Amino acid sequence: GKPWVLPVIRTAEQRVAADANGNHEYLGVGGLPALTSGAQKLIFGADSPAIGEKRVYSIQTISGTGANMVAAVFLKQFKQPADAAVYISKPTWGNHRSILETAGHEVREYRYCNYDTLGLDIAGMLQDLRAAPRGQIILLHACAHNPTGIDPTAEQWQQIADVMRERNHFPLFDCAYQGFATGDVDKDAYAIRLFVSRGFELLVAESFAKNMGLYGERTGCLHVVTGTPELLPPVASQLNRLSRATISTASAYGAKLAGVVLQDPALYAEWLDNMRVMSRRIELMRQGLRDRLRDLGTPGDWDHVTRQIGMFSFTGLTKPQVDELREKHHLYMTDDGRISVAGLNSGNIDYVARAIDAVVRAGH
């Protein structure tokens, strides 16, 4: 398939190009206000008490990776206790560990995926969070967990928040798929808004690569929620300092496109529709792959393909099976069996299902 440029982004491009006052000057250190204010409302809700109480600051970053890095450096410099480790899910996005260790953090893992059921190991996760020393940093995927596609339920998020409050842990959310995961931006922000409502101070790394298709424009934000309004100015000042030291100023073009979409009610509504189209297509591809594997009688239970959400599916295929898919069938995925569901389409899904069926039968 070919990359899909969202129709709303095409419209935003035309609007930015037609702006007679447009230029190529630097943005301010904090980024483009149209982007950061719109992104803040998107994450926390336009009626968020935290925003109204002036306890939220948002800074533009180099997509989600840059947001994670600024967050990691900030926490290394200012988090107490100073020896707090960062706990990441097992498994997690491959770049998380590298970012955190580059910033000087000790990185530990908490259980997440139940490799027998390919669902959430909620008991193991809660046990590990309870066993961690008080005041640790816990990196959480806000929605569409990467690489597994396994998300906690609302009830499970409540349990996670309970344990983190009990142990005084600090949440660091990574939110790369808001609106893309379920097609509903509010549903995908549930966990973040829950933790804010429970009184947590926290950081949120946000990317517009997937939900706006702005991969190469590197458009993102880092949001911080403080416990009191008085804490916000010094925290914002330090985030600005770190951003200035690492990227000077953020890139302008993608921010202008996203800012136009977030600030214009008609374009915002169109964007929500565009995301529903993307999310629905992923859902249909998941259903199609599961149904074809069922029809082929492929050994195993493939319901996890549709229970998971987002761009990726943790198939449960073993490394030898992945190697065979690559060598014999020219299908490519990560060694842990994660496939990009977005890469499936009506022209290749039958071939993919037959290839998976063949390697599973060969090793069954």
Side-chain angles (χ1 to χ4, degrees), residues 91-92 112-113 118-120 141 143-152 177 181-182 286 304-315 338-339 341:
T92 192
Y112 192 85
C113 178
L118 296 177
L120 179 64
H141 298 234
C143 60
H145 182 275
N146 181 0
T148 68
I150 301 165
D151 282 3
Y177 300 94
T182 67
R286 287 184 178 278
H304 61 273
V305 174
T306 50
R307 285 197 303 266
Q308 299 166 2
I309 65 171
M311 287 180 64
F312 303 111
S313 177
F314 213 52
T315 62
R338 185 198 79 171
I339 65 170
V341 182

Side-chain angles (χ1 to χ4, degrees), residues 98-266:
S98 179
I99 290 169
L100 294 164
E101 290 180 343
T102 298
H105 288 280
E106 178 185 354
V107 178
R108 302 172 186 167
E109 292 180 324
Y110 59 84
R111 281 171 285 179
Y112 192 85
C113 178
N114 182 322
Y115 289 88
D116 293 326
T117 65
L118 296 177
L120 179 64
D121 182 3
I122 185 64
M125 179 180 182
L126 296 177
Q127 185 177 17
D128 289 347
L129 295 182
R130 279 197 178 95
R134 291 179 61 82
Q136 303 301 287
I137 301 161
I138 312 298
L139 196 156
L140 301 163
H141 298 234
C143 60
H145 182 275
N146 181 0
T148 68
I150 301 165
D151 282 3
T153 64
E155 181 182 357
Q156 289 168 336
W157 275 120
Q158 293 276 0
Q159 293 176 292
I160 293 164
D162 287 343
V163 173
M164 289 185 58
R165 171 59 71 205
E166 171 191 321
R167 300 298 297 160
N168 196 33
H169 294 324
F170 183 92
L172 167 57
F173 279 99
D174 193 355
C175 186
Y177 300 94
Q178 187 181 4
F180 190 110
T182 67
D184 184 330
V185 294
D186 295 317
K187 185 176 181 180
D188 291 345
Y190 171 80
I192 295 170
R193 296 177 188 179
L194 168 68
F195 274 68
V196 173
S197 73
R198 298 282 293 270
F200 283 88
E201 294 187 313
L202 52 82
L203 288 164
V204 182
E206 178 184 23
S207 167
F208 289 98
K210 286 83 176 176
N211 57 12
M212 285 195 184
L214 296 175
Y215 293 89
E217 304 304 337
R218 313 309 294 141
T219 306
C221 290
L222 176 66
H223 309 277
V224 60
V225 178
T226 59
T228 65
E230 291 76 21
L231 281 173
L232 197 64
V235 169
S237 175
Q238 291 301 325
L239 290 174
N240 288 343
R241 178 185 65 82
L242 292 175
S243 179
R244 172 66 173 164
T246 53
I247 64 170
S248 185
T249 62
S251 54
Y253 185 62
K256 291 176 182 178
L257 298 179
V260 165
V261 171
L262 292 170
Q263 297 297 334
D264 183 286

Side-chain angles (χ1 to χ4, degrees), residues 20 24 53 58-59 64 70 120 146 176 179-180 183 191 243 258 269 293 303 320:
H24 300 283
E53 294 163 6
S58 305
I59 186 170
V70 174
L120 179 64
N146 181 0
F180 190 110
S243 179
L293 293 170
D303 284 342

